[in-house]
Amino acid sequence: MSNVFAPSHCPRLVVKIGSALLVDTDGNARREWMRTVAGDMAERILAGQQVMIVSSGAIALGARKLSLKNGGRENLCDAQSAAAVGQIALSALWAELLAEKGLVAAQMLVTLDALEDRRRYLNFTATLDSLLAKGAIPVINENDSLATDEIRFGDNDRLAARIGQAAGADGLILLSDVDGLYDKDPARHDTARIIREVREMDETILAMADDTSSIGTGTSGVGTGGMSSKLLAAKISDMAGMNMAIISGLHEHPLRRAQEGHGTIFHAQRGENRHKGWIGGLQKIRGKLHIDEGAAAAIVEGSSLLPAGIVKIEGPFSRGDAVDIIDVNGSAIARGLAEYDALDSARIIGRHSSEIEAILGYSPRSAVVHRDRMVIL
Ligand code: GLU
């Protein structure tokens, strides 16, 4: 565990910090603890590592200032107002604590939409690259004040994985009020034990997330991401070739502890390029392409998806939108960008690629999803 997040193995690191660690049960920022995190950051920068923080806590902090009930999460309107008030305080606090260590903080607020749109996403990554190269510490959060339920991540676990993928980071540490993934809910089972290393996100691991889904949502009720969102983050990380760890932040200097073998580490098994990593992390899936067994075998081997292997289309989607590729068992086995919109795709399914031009009157691509724009899930 220790090594994979060391500067030598991990030139770029994302550290995500959950609301429950940043804000106490009275709604006050845990300033002294944050100061120890800023100290950890300074150590890592000195050791030659580029670090960025994905910081939650805006809603929880703002809720107190506005005297909102339920931690500001009673409804979307409250959450958006709380975030607006809390974010300004949160950023000021990080800027102050990092400055004490001689570091410059840079606030970036993102929306799901911005990361799904290729052009804005590239803009974001360019700014991030430039900030890191200049030695600044990006402090990132979702722009909760503008994001509505349909278009928001909602939890910062997936957001952090997406940021890490966008940044081409090598590691993601989720600091949480749980110390890792348990095989059962430790609150309900005496025999529950922590899983130290995960090398494959198989059914057994996913089942553990179901059983433990309520833990890690913040003991003080101020966070949102439970174990399920952490496992979704692990999936995005894996596709981006980024190791991920869940580590307890209930101690001072939590990043020092991360070096000592605590928590659960998810070892990335894949190293897709940045473009494929982006596709794998897309959250808005516009359509489904149901395929036959032959096509499924071919795409797993690395082929493009040709119209001949598609049996059914679900849409609507436009050319360039993300679609999931579904096998005969109903499982999504791959995700990619559609080369044709849903209507045109529906007209050519089951047909040979050489017939596309006669059917549609144009034939820019022989595949409906090209292998360069597809990831196996
Ligand atoms: N973006 C939210 C906030 O700053 C936190 C989301 C989460 O709990 O993961 O309050």
Side-chain angles (χ1 to χ4, degrees), residues 11 28 56 68 113 179 190 215 220 225 228 251 253 354:
N28 295 308
S56 303
L68 300 174
D113 266 2
D179 50 2
D190 289 346
I215 62 171
S220 47
S228 311
H251 305 265
H253 293 290
S354 60

Side-chain angles (χ1 to χ4, degrees), residues 117-356:
D117 175 84
R118 185 84 190 147
R119 207 164 56 89
R120 282 190 287 160
Y121 161 86
L122 290 174
N123 244 330
F124 170 76
T125 58
T127 309
L128 205 53
D129 276 345
S130 151
L131 285 168
L132 291 168
K134 291 174 172 62
I137 309 246
V139 178
I140 305 162
N141 196 0
E142 183 159 15
N143 195 345
D144 293 305
S145 303
L146 330 169
T148 59
D149 273 340
E150 304 76 56
I151 55 153
R152 68 202 286 250
F153 281 93
D155 70 83
N156 275 7
D157 297 319
R158 278 178 303 144
L159 174 75
R162 200 77 170 107
I163 300 288
Q165 175 271 314
D170 314 278
L172 164 63
I173 295 179
L174 303 179
L175 292 180
S176 174
D177 60 349
V178 289
D179 50 2
L181 174 69
Y182 283 85
D183 61 347
K184 309 183 196 61
D185 183 351
R188 290 187 285 127
H189 306 274
D190 289 346
T191 54
R193 64 182 185 93
I194 193 162
I195 309 294
R196 289 275 171 228
E197 315 227 20
V198 176
R199 291 188 186 273
E200 201 189 336
M201 299 271 290
D202 55 17
E203 295 304 318
T204 332
I205 297 292
L206 297 175
M208 290 175 193
D210 279 347
D211 195 55
T212 56
S213 61
S214 60
I215 62 171
T217 49
T219 44
S220 47
V222 292
T224 51
M227 206 40 78
S228 311
S229 70
K230 290 181 175 47
L231 286 204
L232 289 172
K235 279 211 130 184
I236 298 172
S237 302
D238 183 42
M239 283 187 277
M242 178 168 66
N243 296 312
M244 185 189 104
I246 303 171
I247 288 177
S248 168
L250 296 172
H251 305 265
E252 296 196 334
H253 293 290
L255 293 183
R256 282 191 203 153
R257 283 190 90 245
Q259 299 280 92
E260 294 161 9
H262 299 276
T264 300
I265 178 163
F266 296 79
H267 292 274
Q269 301 299 313
R270 313 167 50 170
E272 303 287 3
N273 62 37
R274 243 161 130 168
H275 185 51
K276 284 202 175 195
W278 173 72
I279 293 171
L282 287 170
Q283 303 289 312
K284 265 203 231 162
I285 309 304
R286 307 281 190 177
K288 290 181 181 171
L289 309 178
H290 296 264
I291 61 170
D292 62 24
E293 276 174 356
I299 64 169
V300 170
E301 290 295 312
S303 300
S304 297
L305 177 61
L306 303 176
I310 306 176
V311 293
K312 196 174 98 184
I313 301 272
E314 286 182 60
F317 55 84
S318 306
R319 177 174 145 69
D321 279 348
V323 289
D324 272 354
I325 298 173
I326 314 290
D327 70 6
V328 289
N329 303 317
S331 309
I333 58 164
R335 174 167 301 160
L337 304 183
E339 300 288 350
Y340 294 92
D341 68 23
L343 287 177
D344 282 355
S345 299
R347 290 171 65 197
I348 57 176
I349 61 173
R351 309 294 283 266
H352 194 273
S353 299
S354 60
E355 299 174 88
I356 297 178

